Amino acid sequence: GPSVELIGQYEVVPTSPAPVVKMFQITDDGHGGRLVPWTVQYADTPPEPHVARLTTDGRLDFALPAASDIVKLSADLGAMIDGKTLVVFDLVTGEKKWARVFPKGGARILPAPPGTLIVVHPQGTEMLDETGRIVQRRP
């Protein structure tokens, strides 16, 4: 798999619970930077999603409601899914374009032709275009 560099050391107060940090695959954003998704989880709380865009000029953090492997949908758009929520966002600014929830969970993204997304979930397989419109559906 991809190698992950340590971004920084965090000092934790001994009495506070140490967070569980989960890193996901680093993706080239196609604009000279890299996208680094991760989640931070404290005891008894749901994981908080984070994405950082690292460029030679610095770092921009965005919080998106899903953090997992990022798939490039087009030159400008990225997509990621956490099993339940699919989020399509601007690769440069992190602005959320649209999202879709799969209530039963278990959804994942498969490689797809440029400008489309293939999402496999318990109810079937769907191919979506950049706007989220379903262009093909298989049970």
Side-chain angles (χ1 to χ4, degrees), residues 58-74:
R59 169 176 159 167
L60 171 70
D61 285 358
F62 11 104
L64 290 164
S68 64
D69 291 348
I70 294 172
V71 174
K72 277 170 71 171
L73 180 54
S74 67

Side-chain angles (χ1 to χ4, degrees), residues 36-116:
V36 183
W38 78 97
T39 56
V40 181
Q41 186 169 19
Y42 292 91
D44 306 324
T45 63
E48 293 170 20
H50 294 270
V51 182
R53 179 167 179 259
L54 305 178
T55 66
T56 49
D57 300 333
R59 169 176 159 167
L60 171 70
D61 285 358
F62 11 104
L64 290 164
S68 64
D69 291 348
I70 294 172
V71 174
K72 277 170 71 171
L73 180 54
S74 67
D76 301 314
L77 295 176
M80 57 185 186
I81 200 161
D82 64 1
K84 207 166 189 174
T85 307
L86 168 70
V87 178
V88 171
F89 62 97
D90 185 298
L91 283 166
V92 175
T93 64
E95 181 197 349
K96 191 173 92 176
K97 296 297 185 183
W98 54 271
R100 178 149 171 232
V101 175
F102 298 89
K104 289 188 161 65
R108 63 186 203 279
I109 302 172
L110 291 188
T116 61

